[in-house]
């Protein structure tokens, strides 16, 4: 059992399935965190604001 | 009344005209709301679903809108990963259409599962060998990606852009959009595929069962290919519909033509593989199951005409129109081809869902008919109403077509 799966088993199938899920969620989460940090730095003047 | 919220330098209809435009879509939403309330309050006995038709109209709608919404991830992939800069002129409407399709499908699934309060079971007690679990995980994650892709578009609103922090946040999100586009492509590939794989592994139902590669039946790959072939066409259709109602040119022809050309090649490839799949199925799986192709259509209203319609009328014909430069450059033919392409994909999903379940499997089985109730139609049409409302609001208040000002200069 892990915090995210009651039926967790230590075998390759679970590791691939949940591994890929956590990679996707990790990218989404890290992406948002990086964006929030950059926003903070730019808003406070520590980084130059970029325009598109 | 709402003029401070409208984008700079573009013309929009009056607030009252916009209000009256939203009324039919609000009516559809109200019909859907009443249907949803009845289904949640009284249960799924409000539908004509049964132990035979556990998948019915809502799943046809779901699979159809998810395929049609594939334009979002595929256009994103072409724009941000493959570097097709021309498609930046159409990426925003594509993302909004994708968001509408996926959020609408998720809302519909919330009613379909009967007890939404237990919806989280599929995540908490994941059966990792189930294609449906993979679909649920990927669709949920992809909806998050679509929401993230939608945020910078919302933050471009004239009033919101005045807030410095929100403007910077939108620009920062935009800067790393390629990462989200790549994640969305990965997630979409697997859930579009698993939706097809789900039918291919139904070995007890020879109408849907297929052979394949490793754990993936051929339907896995065919569903991905069909989605990326029809998604861009649906984006073109929605853009053309917006141009028709706004009486403006919103997207340069070069972007539309590029998308139509890519769709043509993908649809042609899909048709070749689909015909090969049908032949392999007719001369392989069906005889081995002790059946014949004709035996599937002995009873009920479904006939070979559905397959002919799917392959020839809604497959080969639009592929030819889109493939010939003069065909896709003609506005009328382009719209007809896109309509046929999208209809073909809906028909394909209908065949895999409803016809598969209706056809008898055992010698003592009989043909099962199914007609949706008004509650089922109500929830299906509510997604259409929601789509029109959200897209109309997005068009009115957000600069979703970057070349709109250039293509429609305001002469005072």
């Amino acid at each position: 059992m892990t915090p995210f799966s009651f039926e967790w088993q230590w075998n390759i199938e679970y590791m691939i399935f949940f591994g890929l899920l956590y990679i996707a969620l990790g990218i989404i989460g890290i992406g948002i965190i990086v964006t929030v940090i950059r926003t903070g730095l730019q808003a406070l003047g520590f980084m130059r604001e970029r325009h598109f | 009344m709402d003029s401070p919220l409208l984008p700079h330098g573009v013309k929009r209809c009056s607030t009252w005209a916009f209000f009256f435009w939203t009324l039919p879509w609000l009516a559809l939403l109200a019909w859907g709301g009443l249907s949803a309330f009845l289904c949640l309050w009284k249960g799924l006995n409000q539908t004509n679903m049964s132990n035979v038709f556990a998948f019915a109209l809502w799943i046809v709608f779901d699979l159809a809108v998810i395929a049609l919404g594939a334009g979002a991830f595929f256009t994103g992939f072409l724009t941000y990963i493959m570097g097709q800069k021309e498609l930046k002129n159409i990426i925003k409407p594509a993302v909004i259409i994708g968001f509408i399709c996926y959020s609408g499908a998720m809302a519909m699934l919330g009613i379909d599962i009967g007890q939404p309060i237990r919806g989280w079971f599929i995540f908490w007690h994941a059966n990792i060998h189930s294609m449906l679990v993979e679909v649920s995980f990927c669709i949920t994650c992809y909806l998050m990606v679509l929401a993230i892709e939608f945020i910078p578009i919302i933050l471009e609103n004239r009033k919101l852009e005045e807030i410095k922090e929100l403007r910077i946040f939108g620009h920062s999100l935009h800067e790393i959009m390629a990462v989200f586009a790549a994640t969305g492509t990965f997630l979409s590939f697997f859930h579009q595929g698993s939706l097809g794989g789900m039918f291919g592994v139904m070995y007890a139902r020879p109408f849907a069962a297929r052979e394949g590669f490793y754990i993936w039946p051929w339907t896995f790959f065919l569903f991905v290919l069909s989605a990326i072939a029809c998604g861009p066409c649906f984006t073109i259709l929605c853009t053309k519909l917006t141009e028709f109602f706004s009486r403006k040119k919103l997207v340069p022809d070069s972007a539309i033509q590029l998308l139509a050309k890519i769709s043509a090649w993908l649809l042609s490839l899909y048709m070749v593989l689909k015909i090969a799949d049908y032949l392999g199925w007719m001369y392989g799986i069906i005889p081995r199951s002790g059946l014949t192709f004709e035996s599937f259509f002995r009873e009920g209203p479904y006939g070979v005409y559905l397959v002919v319609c799917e392959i020839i009328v809604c497959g080969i014909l639009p592929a030819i129109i889109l493939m010939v430069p003069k065909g896709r450059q003609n506005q009328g033919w382009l719209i007809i081809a896109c309509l046929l392409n999208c209809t073909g994909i809906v028909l394909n999903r209908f065949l895999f869902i409803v016809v598969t379940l209706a056809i008898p499997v055992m010698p003592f089985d009989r043909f099962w008919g199914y007609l949706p109730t008004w509650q089922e139609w109500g929830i299906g049409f509510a997604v259409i109403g929601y789509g029109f409302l959200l897209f109309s609001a997005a068009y009115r208040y957000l600069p979703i077509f970057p070349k709109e000002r250039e293509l429609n200069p305001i002469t005072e």
Side-chain angles (χ1 to χ4, degrees):
Chain A
M1 182 179 137
T2 72
F4 298 105
S5 171
F6 269 123
E7 288 85 7
W8 175 267
Q9 290 166 30
W10 287 100
N11 62 41
I12 192 72
E13 292 160 344
Y14 273 80
M15 285 179 205
I16 292 174
F17 189 92
F18 279 98
L20 291 173
L21 171 71
Y22 294 148
I23 287 172
L25 286 174
I27 292 170
I28 295 170
I30 290 168
I32 291 291
I33 290 167
V34 167
T35 311
V36 170
I37 291 170
R38 286 174 68 103
T39 305
L41 290 174
Q42 287 178 24
L44 294 169
F46 294 110
M47 262 177 91
R48 194 189 297 172
E49 190 182 340
R50 287 188 65 181
H51 294 276
F52 289 87
Chain B
M1 202 189 295
D2 58 353
S3 52
L5 293 169
L6 305 183
H8 280 294
V10 294
K11 257 186 132 176
R12 294 287 183 265
C13 64
S14 69
T15 314
W16 279 109
F18 183 68
F19 172 71
F20 285 117
W21 161 258
T22 60
L23 285 182
W25 317 123
L26 286 170
L28 285 182
L29 270 183
W31 178 14
L34 176 65
S35 307
F37 172 73
L38 285 171
C39 288
L40 294 175
W41 182 40
K42 293 190 171 178
L44 290 178
N45 59 1
Q46 298 296 298
T47 71
N48 271 343
M49 290 195 288
S50 62
N51 286 341
V52 175
F53 277 104
F55 280 3
L57 180 78
W58 292 338
I59 296 294
V60 177
F61 256 84
D62 267 335
L63 265 65
V65 295
I66 282 173
L68 297 173
F73 95 83
F74 191 59
T75 314
F77 170 75
L78 291 171
T79 311
Y80 296 110
I81 313 294
M82 302 303 284
Q84 296 288 335
K85 304 278 182 238
E86 193 56 46
L87 296 180
K88 286 205 168 175
N89 294 317
I90 204 167
I91 183 68
K92 288 181 194 172
V95 165
I96 296 169
I97 292 162
F99 180 80
I100 289 167
C101 289
Y102 277 80
S103 53
M106 291 282 276
M108 209 188 298
L109 280 174
I111 308 298
D112 200 0
I113 56 175
Q115 294 206 33
I117 201 164
R118 294 183 185 170
W120 56 275
F121 275 31
I122 201 163
F123 303 103
W124 201 258
H125 302 286
N127 168 13
I128 60 155
H129 297 113
S130 161
M131 294 255 185
L132 206 52
V133 168
E134 190 193 330
V135 170
S136 309
F137 277 59
C138 285
I139 287 183
T140 312
C141 291
Y142 185 51
L143 187 59
M144 289 181 204
V145 171
L146 279 171
I148 291 167
E149 289 178 344
F150 196 7
I151 289 170
I153 303 174
I154 297 171
L155 295 180
E156 281 179 19
N157 174 267
R158 196 163 134 189
K159 279 286 161 195
L160 291 176
E161 222 180 18
E162 287 172 9
I163 304 166
K164 186 186 170 193
E165 287 77 13
L166 290 182
R167 187 183 65 238
I168 295 173
F169 183 67
H171 290 173
S172 302
L173 265 182
H174 202 116
E175 236 177 308
I176 57 161
M177 203 46 83
V179 176
F180 293 117
T183 314
T185 305
F186 165 77
L187 292 166
S188 289
F189 177 84
F190 277 99
H191 76 247
Q192 296 282 2
S194 292
L195 280 172
M198 200 169 69
F199 295 101
V201 295
M202 289 167 71
Y203 302 118
R205 291 197 177 268
F207 188 77
R210 294 290 192 277
E211 285 165 341
F213 166 73
Y214 190 43
I215 59 166
W216 298 288
W218 297 128
T219 45
F220 181 98
F221 306 100
L222 288 171
F223 265 53
V224 178
L225 195 52
S226 62
I228 58 175
C230 84
C233 278
F234 188 63
T235 307
I236 293 174
L237 272 183
C238 293
T239 308
K240 290 289 168 194
L241 199 65
T242 316
E243 286 185 342
F244 173 76
F245 281 116
S246 63
R247 281 175 249 149
K248 283 182 191 172
K249 186 156 187 62
L250 299 169
V251 179
D253 282 334
S254 51
I256 298 280
Q257 288 300 311
L258 178 62
L259 218 48
K261 191 177 168 184
I262 292 169
S263 203
W265 281 101
L266 291 168
L267 183 60
S268 305
L269 177 64
Y270 170 64
M271 274 300 112
V272 171
L273 297 177
K274 183 71 189 166
I275 291 167
D277 171 68
Y278 261 129
L279 291 174
W281 170 70
M282 283 163 76
Y283 294 103
I285 290 176
I286 302 179
R288 279 204 300 278
S289 310
L291 298 164
T292 58
F293 178 66
E294 301 80 42
S295 66
F296 287 131
F297 303 109
R298 278 204 192 115
E299 295 172 82
Y302 312 127
V304 185
Y305 72 91
L306 284 173
V307 178
V308 173
C309 199
E310 181 205 354
I311 297 294
I312 297 173
V313 183
C314 298
I316 296 172
L317 186 61
I320 293 170
I321 297 172
L322 291 172
M323 193 62 96
V324 178
K326 279 196 176 170
R328 64 173 180 265
Q329 279 157 12
N330 180 299
Q331 291 299 305
W333 283 116
L334 174 69
I335 290 169
I336 289 171
C338 289
L339 262 176
L340 286 175
N341 185 0
C342 295
T343 310
I345 264 48
V346 176
L347 194 55
N348 173 263
R349 289 355 182 211
F350 175 81
L351 276 162
F352 268 107
I353 297 163
V354 173
V355 181
T356 296
L357 297 177
I359 289 172
V361 178
M362 307 300 273
F364 48 82
D365 276 349
R366 66 173 177 86
F367 176 88
W368 283 89
Y370 160 77
L371 272 177
T373 59
W374 66 265
Q375 290 92 331
E376 288 177 84
W377 283 117
I379 288 171
F381 279 110
V383 175
I384 297 173
Y386 157 70
F388 267 94
L389 265 183
L390 190 58
F391 197 81
S392 307
Y395 171 67
R396 185 170 177 79
Y397 298 113
L398 308 171
I400 61 172
F401 295 103
K403 289 281 165 83
E404 185 182 354
R405 257 185 291 183
E406 197 180 303
L407 293 168
N408 307 275
I410 296 175
T411 46
E412 294 295 332

